[in-house]
Amino acid sequence: MKLRRVRAVVVKEGLQIWRDRRSLIIALLMPFMQMLLLGYGVNLDIKHVAVCTFDRENSQTSQSLLKHFQASSYFAVKHVLDSYKSVTTALDRGDCVITIVIPPDFSERLRDSGQSSIQAILDATDDNTAAVATGYAQSVVSGFSDEVQLQFSGIGGASVAAAAPLSLEARVWYNEDLDSRNFIIPGVVAVVMALVGSQLTSLTISREWERGTMELLVSTPITSMELMIGKLLPYFAIGMLDATFCLGIAVWWFGVPFRGSLATLTLVTVLFLIVVLSIGYLVSVTIRTQLGASQIALILTMLPTMMLSGYTFPIDQMPDFIRPVTYLVYSRYYLTALKSIFLKGSGVVDLWFPILIMLLYAAAVGTWAARAFRKSLD
Amino acid sequence: MSESAIEVAGLTKSFGSVTAVDHLSFSVDRGEIFGLVGPDGAGKTTTVRMIAGVMRPDAGTIMVDGVDVVTDPEAVKPRVSYMPQRFGLYEDLTVDENIRFYAEIFEIPRKLRIERAERLLAASNMLQFRQRLAGQLSGGMKQKLGLTCALIHAPRAVLLDEPTTGVDPVSRRDFWRILFGLRADGVTILISTAYLDEAERCSRLALLNEGRVLHCDTPASLKAKMPGAMLAVISPSMRDARDLVAKLPGVENVLLVGDGIHIHVDDAARRIPELTAALNAAGIVFEPVRQVIPSVEDLFVSLTEREEKAA
């Protein structure tokens, strides 16, 4: 391999990228847009659950409990009701997901027996939201007093289990706020990088075929490896710039806590970028039209990254026959590494497995891409 | 080492059911301008591509400068230059940037590159366009830039595939001046062309039709091979004249050219009076019938027609 020829390709490709200003701007703006779009679009937290209250006692104690619901950011008190009939109407109309009913003897029983209960009536048609609302209600009530129990009755869907006399106390590590954004955003970074990285290189060879410049290029002594490295380097620079944008947006815009080291982050990002750039290049070598290459690159990166990397669906909840497939999805390793670096502060030693796999992937796809390029018009 | 610069034997290439090149054989001597002449679809482009090592033949051998192109296409690439029919340079790069890119790919020292680029651009009257994007050059200038890039590494042989198609006459003249200069330096030139006037400037020609060589000789000997004589009639009503003389005895074929017709006859002395009488009788206005030296075009038509009749 002659470095001089690699440099010639880098200069040539760099000039072409620089002159194609529109594509360059798109390449630099795309990660911004996608980060914001996906970052805001995906949010698994359920907040401001619509709640109605029906206070049959109207005592100081009951009002004080309901104030806890008003104060909680998990709930938004929509209506204050005055009959069971209106409770049914409110739930039927979808005004609220949950109605808290305080019995007329609430404070009396609390005083006499040291224990009392209130009733929660739920619209369980969306059982996920109902379950989450139940949990929230539980925590609001126990925040008010340990002595008050919540009795549930569901309507419209599956019955909701009554509160257990024993309560399970979970301690959450690494993402204490249980803010889903904190583990979604690193995933978004992986998705955006996979998409942008492969798109950057997917056109580089097909463009030469379409413009007729390849015929002359294959008549020169340039080798496949020189051409590949020369073409990947400028896009690698752009990709690193894009990665910096994405990770910067994650930390400074979305406020995801960053506990790891910059060196580890850089290492895994460089490896992942090499993998996705090589995949894009491989597609470009194989498909001779720009449109086709771009489409195939999209399918090869977006689909597995969205579906099988653990970004949208947790891997351990996938069907048994799908789970082994996820080991082939390169984004899985970057996703894992990113989450660990961000939230746990993991270092190179902790992440040896994903790093090793990405290294092997980069080498394999790179070699494959270099070999797939035929210096021939046939 | 063989005496020929390029030696092609039994070259065959098919695309599906179409045989583009059919057992083609010819050899090109060192320092000559060798023309591949033929109509579109004769297999010129495919032949040049295979010699350049960018397309693999189905069968046959190609030796360029002692290198076997079929078994080791990469070995021939530093020695030759190939200029494809379609403009192959980067339109979003300037003239200088394109030259520099190809010089670097061929590992030409910087000093040598600057010197050669200066000389080649001067020869093609392109010095004032060095900073212009290749995409903004005229067709003729693009081809001259293509030739400049092809010559930047001082190849032993140059393979040009229809380099002057769609090129203005001035650029074409510049182009040929450079080619003659190259021949003087001992560079072997293989050029394919559909222009027969260009073919006459070659030292030797191979007439190609449907992937086969019909004849291979110097333009002069090829013309000598043509029996009979070529007569020219200049007339404003050339189509009527053509239809009339085509039916006369002793006329092999008639071809429309520029301002009149070329008539291939078996015997000039005998047929001139007959033709004159026939044209007069039909009331066609024309200038006196003259005997002319056949052009390669006449030759090509007459040779291919004879071939077809024989088949």
Side-chain angles (χ1 to χ4, degrees):
Chain A
M1 195 172 73
K2 299 270 171 52
L3 282 179
R4 191 166 170 195
R5 289 206 277 253
V6 174
R7 195 183 60 193
V9 178
V10 170
V11 170
K12 174 225 131 195
E13 205 72 21
L15 281 168
Q16 289 187 304
I17 294 169
W18 180 246
R19 299 231 163 101
D20 186 5
R21 214 55 62 84
R22 206 184 326 174
S23 305
L24 181 63
I25 289 170
I26 291 172
L28 293 176
L29 278 185
M30 200 155 72
F32 266 112
M33 315 277 284
Q34 286 171 339
M35 276 305 289
L36 296 182
L37 216 65
L38 292 171
Y40 279 117
V42 185
N43 186 353
L44 299 182
D45 293 337
I46 298 168
K47 281 194 176 164
H48 309 293
V49 176
V51 61
C52 292
T53 58
F54 176 23
D55 188 355
R56 297 176 68 195
E57 188 184 63
N58 250 324
S59 69
Q60 219 173 357
T61 326
S62 69
Q63 284 297 312
S64 152
L65 170 60
L66 291 179
K67 279 215 175 68
H68 273 73
F69 277 93
Q70 273 167 353
S72 163
S73 68
Y74 295 128
F75 288 108
V77 178
K78 293 287 176 193
H79 295 290
V80 178
L81 308 170
D82 51 13
S83 67
Y84 271 114
K85 196 164 173 280
S86 56
V87 170
T88 317
T89 319
L91 283 167
D92 282 351
R93 284 208 313 226
D95 289 346
C96 54
V97 175
I98 182 169
T99 302
I100 302 294
V101 182
I102 297 179
D105 54 353
F106 171 67
S107 44
E108 198 181 318
R109 289 181 68 170
L110 193 63
R111 195 173 51 235
D112 295 349
S113 61
Q115 267 200 353
S116 190
S117 61
I118 61 168
Q119 192 184 22
I121 304 171
L122 288 135
D123 174 3
T125 41
D126 176 358
D127 63 343
N128 184 42
T129 309
V132 171
T134 313
Y136 289 163
Q138 192 83 258
S139 67
V140 170
V141 172
S142 57
F144 171 72
S145 162
D146 283 342
E147 287 138 10
V148 181
Q149 273 182 11
L150 202 57
Q151 286 182 339
F152 296 95
S153 51
I155 66 163
S159 66
V160 180
L166 284 172
S167 69
L168 184 73
E169 192 187 338
R171 284 187 65 192
V172 182
W173 282 11
Y174 307 130
N175 184 11
E176 294 82 351
D177 319 328
L178 261 186
D179 194 344
S180 67
R181 186 164 280 164
N182 285 354
F183 62 82
I184 288 173
I185 295 294
V188 173
V189 173
V191 171
V192 174
M193 288 312 299
L195 184 72
V196 173
S198 63
Q199 285 295 310
L200 281 176
T201 45
S202 69
L203 303 180
T204 183
I205 292 288
S206 41
R207 193 188 294 129
E208 301 238 14
W209 283 116
E210 274 189 7
R211 294 189 184 167
T213 51
M214 189 54 95
E215 184 165 356
L216 191 53
L217 201 56
V218 296
S219 77
T220 70
I222 195 163
T223 67
S224 175
M225 193 55 107
E226 289 160 353
L227 184 67
M228 182 175 88
I229 293 176
K231 274 184 171 283
L232 288 188
L233 277 176
Y235 291 107
F236 179 76
I238 296 178
M240 281 312 280
L241 216 55
D242 283 340
T244 312
F245 291 157
C246 290
L247 294 164
I249 291 172
V251 174
W252 287 299
W253 186 273
F254 288 111
V256 179
F258 182 72
R259 291 168 181 150
S261 78
L262 206 57
T264 318
L265 181 68
T266 309
L267 175 71
V268 296
T269 304
V270 165
L271 284 176
F272 183 66
L273 199 55
I274 294 174
V275 173
V276 289
L277 289 176
S278 307
I279 289 176
Y281 187 81
L282 178 62
V283 170
S284 194
V285 165
T286 321
I287 317 262
R288 284 192 182 180
T289 63
Q290 294 194 59
L291 187 65
S294 165
Q295 299 287 313
I296 298 290
L298 197 66
I299 292 167
L300 278 182
T301 52
M302 253 321 230
L303 226 55
T305 306
M306 290 288 244
M307 300 303 188
L308 296 173
S309 71
Y311 165 71
T312 316
F313 310 109
I315 290 172
D316 49 11
Q317 283 173 31
M318 287 177 187
D320 287 344
F321 64 97
I322 294 284
R323 219 173 303 142
V325 180
T326 66
Y327 284 98
L328 294 172
V329 180
Y330 47 90
S331 345
R332 175 195 166 139
Y333 305 98
Y334 185 53
L335 195 87
T336 315
L338 268 190
K339 280 183 188 170
S340 306
I341 295 168
F342 265 89
L343 301 176
K344 286 199 265 184
S346 306
V348 179
V349 182
D350 308 305
L351 296 172
W352 70 271
F353 183 67
I355 288 175
L356 179 73
I357 298 284
M358 282 199 283
L359 210 62
L360 291 175
Y361 232 110
V365 182
T367 315
W368 186 8
R371 290 200 176 184
F373 179 66
R374 291 258 157 271
K375 266 187 83 182
S376 167
L377 300 178
D378 305 86
Chain B
M1 220 164 146
S2 70
E3 193 50 40
S4 338
I6 302 170
E7 180 115 39
V8 170
L11 199 62
T12 302
K13 177 80 182 179
S14 306
F15 299 103
S17 59
V18 182
T19 306
V21 175
D22 191 2
H23 294 91
L24 203 68
S25 301
F26 60 85
S27 73
V28 182
D29 293 337
R30 262 173 230 295
E32 77 169 335
I33 300 183
F34 188 92
L36 287 178
V37 186
D40 286 340
K44 303 188 296 286
T45 296
T46 310
T47 305
V48 179
R49 281 176 170 172
M50 288 189 287
I51 298 171
V54 299
M55 192 176 263
R56 286 185 71 83
D58 297 337
T61 57
I62 307 164
M63 298 293 287
V64 174
D65 217 19
V67 172
D68 188 335
V69 181
V70 180
T71 55
D72 192 5
E74 292 307 307
V76 80
K77 289 177 182 176
R79 294 160 197 251
V80 302
S81 251
Y82 165 56
M83 202 176 138
Q85 192 175 354
R86 185 176 163 193
F87 184 65
L89 298 173
Y90 298 98
E91 303 212 337
D92 44 359
L93 258 51
T94 64
V95 167
D96 264 351
E97 286 161 356
N98 268 300
I99 295 173
R100 190 174 159 188
F101 176 66
Y102 282 97
E104 290 291 309
I105 293 294
F106 282 97
E107 301 177 90
I108 305 305
R110 186 168 170 271
K111 224 181 125 190
L112 207 56
R113 179 190 85 221
I114 293 169
E115 200 182 290
R116 278 184 194 156
E118 191 82 29
R119 185 167 47 80
L120 289 164
L121 288 174
S124 53
N125 293 314
M126 295 254 301
L127 278 177
Q128 66 269 46
F129 302 115
R130 298 181 81 149
Q131 303 308 320
R132 194 180 279 195
L133 292 180
Q136 288 164 7
L137 297 173
S138 72
M141 288 200 284
K142 276 183 184 172
Q143 291 308 86
K144 288 192 285 184
L145 173 60
L147 188 62
T148 303
C149 288
L151 298 177
I152 200 74
H153 69 282
R156 302 289 303 276
V158 185
L159 312 167
L160 309 166
D161 188 13
E162 297 199 28
T164 54
T165 301
V167 168
D168 61 284
V170 178
S171 292
R172 233 164 113 174
R173 208 169 51 220
D174 288 342
F175 204 90
W176 274 94
R177 201 178 51 233
I178 299 170
L179 293 188
F180 286 131
L182 281 175
R183 184 177 59 178
D185 293 342
V187 176
T188 308
I189 299 165
L190 177 80
I191 181 169
S192 83
T193 181
Y195 292 133
L196 290 150
D197 60 322
E198 283 189 348
E200 299 192 46
R201 300 179 191 174
C202 298
S203 27
R204 281 196 308 140
L205 294 177
L207 296 188
L208 255 61
N209 198 31
E210 292 172 351
R212 280 171 297 121
V213 176
L214 299 181
H215 291 276
C216 183
D217 215 327
T218 62
S221 329
L222 281 174
K223 284 179 193 173
K225 270 189 193 158
M226 200 170 122
M230 190 60 67
L231 304 180
V233 175
I234 296 170
S235 167
S237 42
M238 47 201 273
R239 283 171 205 283
D240 294 337
R242 176 190 61 183
D243 296 343
L244 177 74
V245 301
K247 293 178 207 128
L248 296 177
V251 173
E252 298 257 344
N253 62 64
V254 187
L255 195 66
L256 291 175
V257 290
D259 49 1
I261 52 174
H262 277 188
I263 310 153
H264 184 201
V265 294
D266 51 357
D267 180 2
R270 193 175 145 204
R271 301 299 174 193
I272 290 176
E274 288 180 17
L275 278 173
T276 312
L279 288 167
N280 277 327
I284 290 170
V285 184
F286 63 100
E287 287 179 23
V289 180
R290 304 175 282 124
Q291 183 171 357
V292 291
I293 299 164
S295 67
V296 181
E297 191 163 13
D298 297 323
L299 182 72
F300 193 84
V301 172
S302 106
L303 290 176
T304 46
E305 287 205 348
R306 187 146 33 109
E307 194 89 354
E308 276 160 20
K309 278 175 196 160

